[in-house]
Amino acid sequence: MAKHPVLHIENVDKNMDGRMILHDIHLTAEEGEIIGLLGPNGSGKTTLIKLITGLIQMSGGSIAINGFPIDRQFEQAIQAVGAIVENPEFYPYLTGYENLKHYANMHHDITIERLKEVVIRVGLEAAIHDKVKTYSLGMKQRLGIAQAILHRPKLLILDEPTNGLDPAGMKDFREHLRELAKEEGTAILFATHLLKEVEDLCDRVVILQKGKIKSEVILNDRDEKREKALLEVQPQEKALQWLSEHGYEAYAEKGMLAVKVAKAQIPALNQQLVANDIDVYSISPFKHSLEDEYMVLTNGTEERNSDV
């Protein structure tokens, strides 16, 4: 039996009051993958999350979670989902453990062992029996993760989950999410407007603007053969021609040449260029600038309406 992607979105549209909010959305998330959903306010991030979680209905297309279409097998599909939308809410006069136990009682198969395991996973062992009213925002976010993953969801959806966290809290939050994706194989869809958060956490980013996907960027490409170097050389045209003739993928980038080359091959490439009367002034790692691409695609501006 073929393995399904955790999330599969195809040709999804959403109209509201005669206005197209989302148009022709395609998105797939695999097990253990962390995907950033990036866009300015008004781009449609929240609407897409509401569609995935079944809070509103799509106008066209299909969404399947763990192989189950949400419009025909909603109960089976939604069982595979956990979610944190902004700041999670809890009963403040109950302890963290009591809040989790209350949530666990709504499900049939969450054991005490699983509850304890999740508390350790999010690093709340020392505070789990304290009242939630004493928790910092960062601790509440960790408790939110614990609650969202108690039932072992295949897909975790986060909508602006780091709002109000200080830098230390954001770093801690990212580490717990990475561990969750790696250890439990959870696919994570992380919606935010913060470029830094996406670059520090996600494997891939989907840039959304005016209800359409404008670009997809792979951030964590671990294949050494796909590494790039930025070369400062003269004459540049001669270097570009030589690289092309010798099978290198290269292009001009801000007055320099970006070349797809494995790190181990750089010394030999340097020698070959010099041997062909091309002066090499510097070679440095090239990292795709998510900020540059985002600013180009969105014109560096926030859209007028609040996110929908």
Side-chain angles (χ1 to χ4, degrees):
M1 185 175 178
K3 186 178 180 181
H4 298 285
V6 176
L7 174 66
H8 184 69
I9 301 174
E10 189 169 358
N11 300 116
V12 164
D13 296 328
K14 178 60 182 176
N15 292 295
M16 288 184 181
D17 301 323
R19 186 164 62 99
M20 185 70 80
I21 305 299
L22 291 173
H23 178 61
D24 198 27
I25 302 297
H26 293 256
L27 178 62
T28 298
E30 302 291 344
E31 185 176 298
E33 188 176 21
I34 305 178
I35 299 175
L37 185 61
L38 182 65
N41 292 332
S43 61
K45 300 189 302 292
T46 298
T47 298
L48 182 56
I49 285 173
K50 288 180 179 178
L51 289 176
I52 296 170
T53 53
L55 295 175
I56 58 176
Q57 293 185 339
M58 54 196 153
S59 304
S62 64
I63 299 175
I65 300 169
N66 212 26
F68 297 104
I70 64 169
D71 55 346
R72 300 195 304 276
Q73 294 176 285
F74 178 75
E75 187 173 335
Q76 294 97 319
I78 208 65
Q79 283 176 355
V81 178
I84 303 176
V85 180
E86 294 188 344
N87 299 330
E89 296 293 330
F90 300 101
Y91 297 106
Y93 290 95
L94 295 181
T95 66
Y97 187 87
E98 288 167 340
N99 269 278
L100 291 181
K101 188 69 171 65
H102 176 72
Y103 182 79
N105 289 339
M106 300 178 189
H107 296 263
H108 300 298
D109 55 353
I110 298 176
T111 64
I112 295 298
E113 288 72 24
R114 172 60 179 171
L115 202 154
K116 292 177 179 178
E117 177 186 338
V118 164
V119 169
I120 294 171
R121 168 82 68 221
V122 300
L124 275 178
E125 306 98 297
I128 196 63
H129 294 294
D130 297 339
K131 286 184 167 51
V132 170
K133 67 177 181 178
T134 68
Y135 280 20
S136 66
L137 182 56
M139 292 167 69
K140 289 179 181 176
Q141 292 287 26
R142 280 190 276 165
L143 188 62
I145 295 176
Q147 178 176 289
I149 67 172
L150 264 178
H151 62 297
R152 298 183 190 274
K154 295 292 185 180
L155 175 66
L156 179 62
I157 298 174
L158 309 171
D159 188 12
E160 302 284 359
T162 58
N163 280 353
L165 291 182
D166 60 22
M170 292 169 76
K171 182 175 182 293
D172 189 47
F173 188 73
R174 289 194 301 267
E175 288 173 355
H176 287 299
L177 292 180
R178 285 195 200 98
E179 183 177 306
L180 177 63
K182 182 179 179 181
E183 299 297 329
E184 301 209 0
T186 308
I188 300 174
L189 184 62
F190 185 95
T192 184
H193 64 281
L194 300 175
L195 284 162
K196 178 66 174 171
E197 281 298 284
V198 169
E199 286 191 310
D200 288 347
L201 176 64
C202 300
D203 301 306
R204 177 161 55 99
V205 59
V206 174
I207 299 176
L208 194 66
Q209 191 200 25
K210 295 182 179 178
K212 296 180 181 179
I213 291 178
K214 292 293 185 178
S215 180
E216 286 195 38
V217 181
I218 295 173
L219 296 178
N220 293 336
D221 192 342
R222 298 175 179 85
D223 183 355
E224 184 179 293
K225 293 179 181 178
R226 293 175 60 88
E227 288 183 8
K228 290 181 182 178
L230 205 58
L231 276 61
E232 184 181 0
V233 295
Q234 287 295 336
Q236 192 177 97
E237 284 300 320
K238 181 179 179 181
L240 193 56
Q241 182 179 347
W242 186 92
L243 288 164
S244 178
E245 290 173 351
H246 288 79
Y248 288 94
E249 186 177 324
Y251 56 91
E253 175 76 25
K254 297 181 179 177
M256 303 177 80
L257 295 184
V259 183
K260 189 175 289 187
V261 57
K263 185 176 181 180
Q265 297 173 348
I266 289 177
L269 175 60
N270 182 34
Q271 292 173 1
Q272 289 171 325
L273 289 171
V274 172
N276 282 274
D277 297 322
I278 296 168
D279 295 327
V280 181
Y281 294 94
S282 69
I283 300 177
S284 57
F286 175 76
K287 184 178 180 182
H288 191 289
S289 174
L290 178 61
E291 182 176 10
D292 287 347
E293 176 146 353
Y294 181 78
M295 296 299 279
V296 168
L297 291 170
T298 64
N299 298 317
T301 59
E302 292 287 287
E303 295 172 34
R304 292 179 183 271
N305 297 329
S306 59
D307 203 2
V308 291

